[in-house]
Amino acid sequence: MPSPELTALLYPLLRPAHIGLVGLSVAGYAARALGVFFGQAWPLAPAVRRASSLIDTALLAAGASLWWLLQLNPLGPDTWLGVKLVLLVLYIGLGTLGLKRAPTRVARAGFALAALACVGFMVSVAVTHHPLGLFAP
Ligand code: HEM
């Protein structure tokens, strides 16, 4: 259990770091998906893949640290976090299909758009702290 002093110190650092990394990660994914759509080789180059994994690992680490710091329970009452974690798995799956696993260019574009819609909804779930996000009544 983190002390109130530790929470007061780390929360103002971790929250903007998490949000900034979300921005970097999503912008990077969108740029790579566009590159793949236009037949470029750079989106799957080892250096680009490594940079992307590094950003995603830092994003998840900041998220997990916030989770611990705020002592949230994704199974309730903080079900918005539970929904975000389930959607994260979906985002990763759609994201991989959109960049390389889907067989055709059009299918990859469709999965990439679905991945971006999924992550957009995750942002709305996070901001509203509601499992239905932008669809909350
Ligand atoms: C692509 C994945 C993710 C996206 C798009 C995302 C998005 C966001 C955004 C936009 C916020 C700020 C919400 C606000 O304005 O208060 C936020 C906060 C947060 N996120 Fe994430 N997040 C992601 C992954 C994760 C993961 C994997 C975890 C946990 C392991 C996590 C845990 C948290 C927590 C605990 C907060 C703090 C909420 C608060 O300040 O009350 N996030 N997230």
Side-chain angles (χ1 to χ4, degrees), residues 46-56:
V48 175
R49 291 167 78 156
R50 266 199 302 276
S52 156
S53 302
L54 203 72
I55 292 170
D56 291 345

Side-chain angles (χ1 to χ4, degrees), residues 11 15 18-19 22 25-26 59-68 70 72 80-81 84-85 88 91 119-120 122-124 126-129:
Y11 183 71
R15 189 172 168 272
H18 183 64
I19 295 172
V22 165
S25 171
V26 175
L59 156 65
L60 299 189
S65 308
L66 282 166
W67 177 2
W68 172 74
L70 300 174
L72 303 171
W80 65 273
L81 182 59
K84 216 167 78 148
L85 292 174
L88 177 66
Y91 173 53
V119 80
M122 286 172 77
V123 169
S124 82
V127 171
T128 56
H129 285 191

Side-chain angles (χ1 to χ4, degrees), residues 59-115:
L59 156 65
L60 299 189
S65 308
L66 282 166
W67 177 2
W68 172 74
L69 210 59
L70 300 174
Q71 295 286 298
L72 303 171
N73 183 351
L75 299 177
D78 311 298
T79 43
W80 65 273
L81 182 59
V83 167
K84 216 167 78 148
L85 292 174
V86 171
L87 289 174
L88 177 66
V89 178
L90 182 68
Y91 173 53
I92 293 170
L94 290 170
T96 320
L97 282 161
L99 277 190
K100 45 183 184 262
R101 295 245 182 266
T104 66
R105 184 165 167 257
V106 172
R108 280 194 291 272
F111 280 116
L113 285 176

